[in-house]
PDB file of all heavy atoms in Angstrom:
ATOM      1  N   LYS A   5       0.837  -1.206   0.002  1.00 97.00           N
ATOM      2  CA  LYS A   5       0.008   0.001   0.000  1.00 97.00           C
ATOM      3  C   LYS A   5       0.852   1.245   0.008  1.00 97.00           C
ATOM      4  O   LYS A   5       2.002   1.237   0.437  1.00 97.00           O
ATOM      5  CB  LYS A   5      -0.947   0.017   1.203  1.00 97.00           C
ATOM      6  CG  LYS A   5      -0.271  -0.109   2.545  1.00 97.00           C
ATOM      7  CD  LYS A   5      -1.276  -0.055   3.694  1.00 97.00           C
ATOM      8  CE  LYS A   5      -2.113  -1.328   3.829  1.00 97.00           C
ATOM      9  NZ  LYS A   5      -1.330  -2.481   4.325  1.00 97.00           N
ATOM     10  N   ALA A   6       0.296   2.337  -0.495  1.00 98.00           N
ATOM     11  CA  ALA A   6       0.920   3.640  -0.420  1.00 98.00           C
ATOM     12  C   ALA A   6       0.300   4.395   0.770  1.00 98.00           C
ATOM     13  O   ALA A   6      -0.908   4.356   0.972  1.00 98.00           O
ATOM     14  CB  ALA A   6       0.675   4.424  -1.712  1.00 98.00           C
ATOM     15  N   TRP A   7       1.143   5.037   1.544  1.00 98.00           N
ATOM     16  CA  TRP A   7       0.645   5.832   2.687  1.00 98.00           C
ATOM     17  C   TRP A   7       0.546   7.296   2.274  1.00 98.00           C
ATOM     18  O   TRP A   7       1.526   7.961   1.972  1.00 98.00           O
ATOM     19  CB  TRP A   7       1.634   5.690   3.844  1.00 98.00           C
ATOM     20  CG  TRP A   7       1.633   4.281   4.414  1.00 98.00           C
ATOM     21  CD1 TRP A   7       2.532   3.309   4.157  1.00 98.00           C
ATOM     22  CD2 TRP A   7       0.650   3.730   5.306  1.00 98.00           C
ATOM     23  NE1 TRP A   7       2.206   2.140   4.852  1.00 98.00           N
ATOM     24  CE2 TRP A   7       1.068   2.371   5.561  1.00 98.00           C
ATOM     25  CE3 TRP A   7      -0.514   4.183   5.912  1.00 98.00           C
ATOM     26  CZ2 TRP A   7       0.356   1.517   6.387  1.00 98.00           C
ATOM     27  CZ3 TRP A   7      -1.202   3.346   6.728  1.00 98.00           C
ATOM     28  CH2 TRP A   7      -0.788   2.015   6.983  1.00 98.00           C
ATOM     29  N   LEU A   8      -0.689   7.750   2.189  1.00 98.00           N
ATOM     30  CA  LEU A   8      -0.933   9.157   1.812  1.00 98.00           C
ATOM     31  C   LEU A   8      -0.745  10.051   3.011  1.00 98.00           C
ATOM     32  O   LEU A   8      -0.918   9.627   4.161  1.00 98.00           O
ATOM     33  CB  LEU A   8      -2.376   9.275   1.297  1.00 98.00           C
ATOM     34  CG  LEU A   8      -2.764   8.382   0.120  1.00 98.00           C
ATOM     35  CD1 LEU A   8      -4.242   8.614  -0.249  1.00 98.00           C
ATOM     36  CD2 LEU A   8      -1.879   8.659  -1.092  1.00 98.00           C
ATOM     37  N   PRO A   9      -0.388  11.318   2.799  1.00 97.00           N
ATOM     38  CA  PRO A   9      -0.209  12.244   3.919  1.00 97.00           C
ATOM     39  C   PRO A   9      -1.555  12.498   4.648  1.00 97.00           C
ATOM     40  O   PRO A   9      -2.637  12.413   4.067  1.00 97.00           O
ATOM     41  CB  PRO A   9       0.309  13.514   3.245  1.00 97.00           C
ATOM     42  CG  PRO A   9      -0.060  13.395   1.820  1.00 97.00           C
ATOM     43  CD  PRO A   9      -0.071  11.924   1.494  1.00 97.00           C
ATOM     44  N   GLY A  10      -1.427  12.786   5.930  1.00 97.00           N
ATOM     45  CA  GLY A  10      -2.569  12.974   6.785  1.00 97.00           C
ATOM     46  C   GLY A  10      -3.534  14.050   6.285  1.00 97.00           C
ATOM     47  O   GLY A  10      -4.757  14.015   6.561  1.00 97.00           O
ATOM     48  N   ARG A  11      -3.021  15.047   5.540  1.00 97.00           N
ATOM     49  CA  ARG A  11      -3.917  16.120   5.088  1.00 97.00           C
ATOM     50  C   ARG A  11      -4.958  15.632   4.096  1.00 97.00           C
ATOM     51  O   ARG A  11      -5.969  16.298   3.888  1.00 97.00           O
ATOM     52  CB  ARG A  11      -3.060  17.223   4.380  1.00 97.00           C
ATOM     53  CG  ARG A  11      -2.324  16.767   3.130  1.00 97.00           C
ATOM     54  CD  ARG A  11      -1.549  17.925   2.492  1.00 97.00           C
ATOM     55  NE  ARG A  11      -0.799  17.462   1.304  1.00 97.00           N
ATOM     56  CZ  ARG A  11       0.447  17.043   1.373  1.00 97.00           C
ATOM     57  NH1 ARG A  11       1.042  17.013   2.515  1.00 97.00           N
ATOM     58  NH2 ARG A  11       1.067  16.639   0.272  1.00 97.00           N
ATOM     59  N   CYS A  12      -4.763  14.407   3.528  1.00 98.00           N
ATOM     60  CA  CYS A  12      -5.728  13.864   2.567  1.00 98.00           C
ATOM     61  C   CYS A  12      -6.948  13.294   3.255  1.00 98.00           C
ATOM     62  O   CYS A  12      -7.950  13.014   2.598  1.00 98.00           O
ATOM     63  CB  CYS A  12      -5.057  12.782   1.732  1.00 98.00           C
ATOM     64  SG  CYS A  12      -3.662  13.369   0.775  1.00 98.00           S
ATOM     65  N   ASN A  13      -6.866  13.089   4.547  1.00 98.00           N
ATOM     66  CA  ASN A  13      -8.030  12.618   5.312  1.00 98.00           C
ATOM     67  C   ASN A  13      -7.830  13.144   6.778  1.00 98.00           C
ATOM     68  O   ASN A  13      -7.482  12.394   7.665  1.00 98.00           O
ATOM     69  CB  ASN A  13      -8.106  11.094   5.307  1.00 98.00           C
ATOM     70  CG  ASN A  13      -9.309  10.505   6.039  1.00 98.00           C
ATOM     71  OD1 ASN A  13     -10.165  11.272   6.495  1.00 98.00           O
ATOM     72  ND2 ASN A  13      -9.408   9.218   6.082  1.00 98.00           N
ATOM     73  N   HIS A  14      -8.081  14.444   6.902  1.00 97.00           N
ATOM     74  CA  HIS A  14      -7.806  15.118   8.163  1.00 97.00           C
ATOM     75  C   HIS A  14      -8.998  14.969   9.113  1.00 97.00           C
ATOM     76  O   HIS A  14     -10.060  15.548   8.886  1.00 97.00           O
ATOM     77  CB  HIS A  14      -7.552  16.626   7.900  1.00 97.00           C
ATOM     78  CG  HIS A  14      -7.162  17.376   9.135  1.00 97.00           C
ATOM     79  ND1 HIS A  14      -5.854  17.700   9.427  1.00 97.00           N
ATOM     80  CD2 HIS A  14      -7.923  17.894  10.137  1.00 97.00           C
ATOM     81  CE1 HIS A  14      -5.825  18.372  10.546  1.00 97.00           C
ATOM     82  NE2 HIS A  14      -7.073  18.485  11.001  1.00 97.00           N
ATOM     83  N   LEU A  15      -8.802  14.133  10.131  1.00 95.00           N
ATOM     84  CA  LEU A  15      -9.876  13.898  11.101  1.00 95.00           C
ATOM     85  C   LEU A  15      -9.968  15.075  12.066  1.00 95.00           C
ATOM     86  O   LEU A  15      -8.997  15.428  12.707  1.00 95.00           O
ATOM     87  CB  LEU A  15      -9.570  12.625  11.876  1.00 95.00           C
ATOM     88  CG  LEU A  15      -9.931  11.287  11.209  1.00 95.00           C
ATOM     89  CD1 LEU A  15      -9.296  10.154  11.978  1.00 95.00           C
ATOM     90  CD2 LEU A  15     -11.410  11.095  11.145  1.00 95.00           C
ATOM     91  N   LEU A  16     -11.175  15.637  12.138  1.00 94.00           N
ATOM     92  CA  LEU A  16     -11.429  16.736  13.032  1.00 94.00           C
ATOM     93  C   LEU A  16     -11.986  16.198  14.364  1.00 94.00           C
ATOM     94  O   LEU A  16     -12.700  15.192  14.413  1.00 94.00           O
ATOM     95  CB  LEU A  16     -12.402  17.717  12.424  1.00 94.00           C
ATOM     96  CG  LEU A  16     -11.809  18.467  11.256  1.00 94.00           C
ATOM     97  CD1 LEU A  16     -12.869  18.946  10.291  1.00 94.00           C
ATOM     98  CD2 LEU A  16     -10.989  19.677  11.726  1.00 94.00           C
ATOM     99  N   LYS A  17     -11.694  16.898  15.463  1.00 89.00           N
ATOM    100  CA  LYS A  17     -12.157  16.497  16.735  1.00 89.00           C
ATOM    101  C   LYS A  17     -13.640  16.767  16.854  1.00 89.00           C
ATOM    102  O   LYS A  17     -14.113  17.903  16.692  1.00 89.00           O
ATOM    103  CB  LYS A  17     -11.422  17.239  17.846  1.00 89.00           C
ATOM    104  CG  LYS A  17     -11.743  16.792  19.234  1.00 89.00           C
ATOM    105  CD  LYS A  17     -10.901  17.522  20.268  1.00 89.00           C
ATOM    106  CE  LYS A  17     -11.229  17.051  21.703  1.00 89.00           C
ATOM    107  NZ  LYS A  17     -10.393  17.748  22.687  1.00 89.00           N
ATOM    108  N   PRO A  18     -14.454  15.706  17.126  1.00 91.00           N
ATOM    109  CA  PRO A  18     -15.911  15.911  17.203  1.00 91.00           C
ATOM    110  C   PRO A  18     -16.273  16.908  18.332  1.00 91.00           C
ATOM    111  O   PRO A  18     -15.682  16.910  19.415  1.00 91.00           O
ATOM    112  CB  PRO A  18     -16.420  14.500  17.572  1.00 91.00           C
ATOM    113  CG  PRO A  18     -15.365  13.584  17.087  1.00 91.00           C
ATOM    114  CD  PRO A  18     -14.060  14.299  17.299  1.00 91.00           C
ATOM    115  N   THR A  19     -17.266  17.721  18.024  1.00 90.00           N
ATOM    116  CA  THR A  19     -17.786  18.645  19.019  1.00 90.00           C
ATOM    117  C   THR A  19     -19.265  18.974  18.695  1.00 90.00           C
ATOM    118  O   THR A  19     -19.638  19.001  17.539  1.00 90.00           O
ATOM    119  CB  THR A  19     -16.969  19.994  18.964  1.00 90.00           C
ATOM    120  OG1 THR A  19     -17.581  20.960  19.811  1.00 90.00           O
ATOM    121  CG2 THR A  19     -16.913  20.524  17.551  1.00 90.00           C
ATOM    122  N   PRO A  20     -20.062  19.157  19.716  1.00 88.00           N
ATOM    123  CA  PRO A  20     -21.476  19.494  19.501  1.00 88.00           C
ATOM    124  C   PRO A  20     -21.706  20.956  19.136  1.00 88.00           C
ATOM    125  O   PRO A  20     -22.768  21.355  18.681  1.00 88.00           O
ATOM    126  CB  PRO A  20     -22.156  19.169  20.838  1.00 88.00           C
ATOM    127  CG  PRO A  20     -21.071  19.400  21.832  1.00 88.00           C
ATOM    128  CD  PRO A  20     -19.798  18.968  21.171  1.00 88.00           C
ATOM    129  N   GLU A  21     -20.677  21.783  19.323  1.00 90.00           N
ATOM    130  CA  GLU A  21     -20.802  23.228  19.097  1.00 90.00           C
ATOM    131  C   GLU A  21     -20.426  23.575  17.650  1.00 90.00           C
ATOM    132  O   GLU A  21     -19.307  23.320  17.206  1.00 90.00           O
ATOM    133  CB  GLU A  21     -19.925  24.003  20.055  1.00 90.00           C
ATOM    134  CG  GLU A  21     -20.201  23.717  21.512  1.00 90.00           C
ATOM    135  CD  GLU A  21     -21.593  24.205  21.900  1.00 90.00           C
ATOM    136  OE1 GLU A  21     -22.109  25.167  21.295  1.00 90.00           O
ATOM    137  OE2 GLU A  21     -22.176  23.591  22.828  1.00 90.00           O
ATOM    138  N   MET A  22     -21.350  24.212  16.930  1.00 92.00           N
ATOM    139  CA  MET A  22     -21.113  24.520  15.529  1.00 92.00           C
ATOM    140  C   MET A  22     -19.926  25.474  15.377  1.00 92.00           C
ATOM    141  O   MET A  22     -19.079  25.271  14.498  1.00 92.00           O
ATOM    142  CB  MET A  22     -22.377  25.150  14.934  1.00 92.00           C
ATOM    143  CG  MET A  22     -22.220  25.545  13.440  1.00 92.00           C
ATOM    144  SD  MET A  22     -21.862  24.123  12.332  1.00 92.00           S
ATOM    145  CE  MET A  22     -23.457  23.323  12.361  1.00 92.00           C
ATOM    146  N   ASP A  23     -19.888  26.501  16.195  1.00 93.00           N
ATOM    147  CA  ASP A  23     -18.768  27.463  16.097  1.00 93.00           C
ATOM    148  C   ASP A  23     -17.424  26.779  16.283  1.00 93.00           C
ATOM    149  O   ASP A  23     -16.443  27.078  15.574  1.00 93.00           O
ATOM    150  CB  ASP A  23     -18.907  28.572  17.122  1.00 93.00           C
ATOM    151  CG  ASP A  23     -20.046  29.530  16.776  1.00 93.00           C
ATOM    152  OD1 ASP A  23     -20.534  29.474  15.628  1.00 93.00           O
ATOM    153  OD2 ASP A  23     -20.480  30.314  17.650  1.00 93.00           O
ATOM    154  N   THR A  24     -17.350  25.857  17.234  1.00 94.00           N
ATOM    155  CA  THR A  24     -16.117  25.134  17.464  1.00 94.00           C
ATOM    156  C   THR A  24     -15.769  24.218  16.298  1.00 94.00           C
ATOM    157  O   THR A  24     -14.619  24.119  15.913  1.00 94.00           O
ATOM    158  CB  THR A  24     -16.194  24.288  18.748  1.00 94.00           C
ATOM    159  OG1 THR A  24     -16.569  25.147  19.840  1.00 94.00           O
ATOM    160  CG2 THR A  24     -14.896  23.629  19.085  1.00 94.00           C
ATOM    161  N   ALA A  25     -16.787  23.602  15.725  1.00 93.00           N
ATOM    162  CA  ALA A  25     -16.559  22.712  14.580  1.00 93.00           C
ATOM    163  C   ALA A  25     -16.019  23.487  13.393  1.00 93.00           C
ATOM    164  O   ALA A  25     -15.088  23.092  12.748  1.00 93.00           O
ATOM    165  CB  ALA A  25     -17.859  21.972  14.220  1.00 93.00           C
ATOM    166  N   ILE A  26     -16.631  24.608  13.090  1.00 95.00           N
ATOM    167  CA  ILE A  26     -16.199  25.412  11.967  1.00 95.00           C
ATOM    168  C   ILE A  26     -14.813  26.027  12.229  1.00 95.00           C
ATOM    169  O   ILE A  26     -13.953  26.098  11.339  1.00 95.00           O
ATOM    170  CB  ILE A  26     -17.220  26.537  11.670  1.00 95.00           C
ATOM    171  CG1 ILE A  26     -18.556  25.903  11.263  1.00 95.00           C
ATOM    172  CG2 ILE A  26     -16.713  27.463  10.578  1.00 95.00           C
ATOM    173  CD1 ILE A  26     -18.498  24.957  10.080  1.00 95.00           C
ATOM    174  N   GLY A  27     -14.594  26.439  13.464  1.00 95.00           N
ATOM    175  CA  GLY A  27     -13.278  26.960  13.813  1.00 95.00           C
ATOM    176  C   GLY A  27     -12.178  25.917  13.592  1.00 95.00           C
ATOM    177  O   GLY A  27     -11.116  26.239  13.074  1.00 95.00           O
ATOM    178  N   GLY A  28     -12.497  24.701  14.000  1.00 95.00           N
ATOM    179  CA  GLY A  28     -11.503  23.596  13.803  1.00 95.00           C
ATOM    180  C   GLY A  28     -11.257  23.340  12.336  1.00 95.00           C
ATOM    181  O   GLY A  28     -10.172  23.073  11.899  1.00 95.00           O
ATOM    182  N   ALA A  29     -12.351  23.405  11.550  1.00 96.00           N
ATOM    183  CA  ALA A  29     -12.223  23.156  10.100  1.00 96.00           C
ATOM    184  C   ALA A  29     -11.384  24.255   9.452  1.00 96.00           C
ATOM    185  O   ALA A  29     -10.505  23.962   8.625  1.00 96.00           O
ATOM    186  CB  ALA A  29     -13.617  23.129   9.476  1.00 96.00           C
ATOM    187  N   LEU A  30     -11.610  25.497   9.789  1.00 96.00           N
ATOM    188  CA  LEU A  30     -10.857  26.591   9.231  1.00 96.00           C
ATOM    189  C   LEU A  30      -9.388  26.541   9.602  1.00 96.00           C
ATOM    190  O   LEU A  30      -8.489  26.812   8.793  1.00 96.00           O
ATOM    191  CB  LEU A  30     -11.469  27.926   9.616  1.00 96.00           C
ATOM    192  CG  LEU A  30     -12.903  28.224   9.094  1.00 96.00           C
ATOM    193  CD1 LEU A  30     -13.414  29.521   9.629  1.00 96.00           C
ATOM    194  CD2 LEU A  30     -12.913  28.202   7.563  1.00 96.00           C
ATOM    195  N   GLY A  31      -9.156  26.110  10.846  1.00 96.00           N
ATOM    196  CA  GLY A  31      -7.748  25.932  11.289  1.00 96.00           C
ATOM    197  C   GLY A  31      -7.079  24.860  10.504  1.00 96.00           C
ATOM    198  O   GLY A  31      -5.874  24.988  10.134  1.00 96.00           O
ATOM    199  N   ALA A  32      -7.791  23.725  10.241  1.00 97.00           N
ATOM    200  CA  ALA A  32      -7.190  22.657   9.457  1.00 97.00           C
ATOM    201  C   ALA A  32      -6.897  23.080   8.018  1.00 97.00           C
ATOM    202  O   ALA A  32      -5.892  22.733   7.479  1.00 97.00           O
ATOM    203  CB  ALA A  32      -8.154  21.463   9.457  1.00 97.00           C
TER     204      ALA A  32
END
C-alpha cells in the first residue's frame, strides 16, 4: 500500500458546538 499524507483525510475532533466545529475546520 501507499501511505498518503494525513492532510488527505484530516480527522477533526468531534464537538457539538457549531462554532467550534467550523473553527476547527478553518484551522485545518
Side-chain angles (χ1 to χ4, degrees):
K5 57 179 72 72
W7 293 98
L8 302 178
R11 64 178 176 271
C12 299
N13 183 3
H14 184 100
L15 279 167
L16 291 154
K17 186 177 180 179
T19 173
E21 301 296 330
M22 179 62 72
D23 288 347
T24 305
I26 297 303
L30 295 177

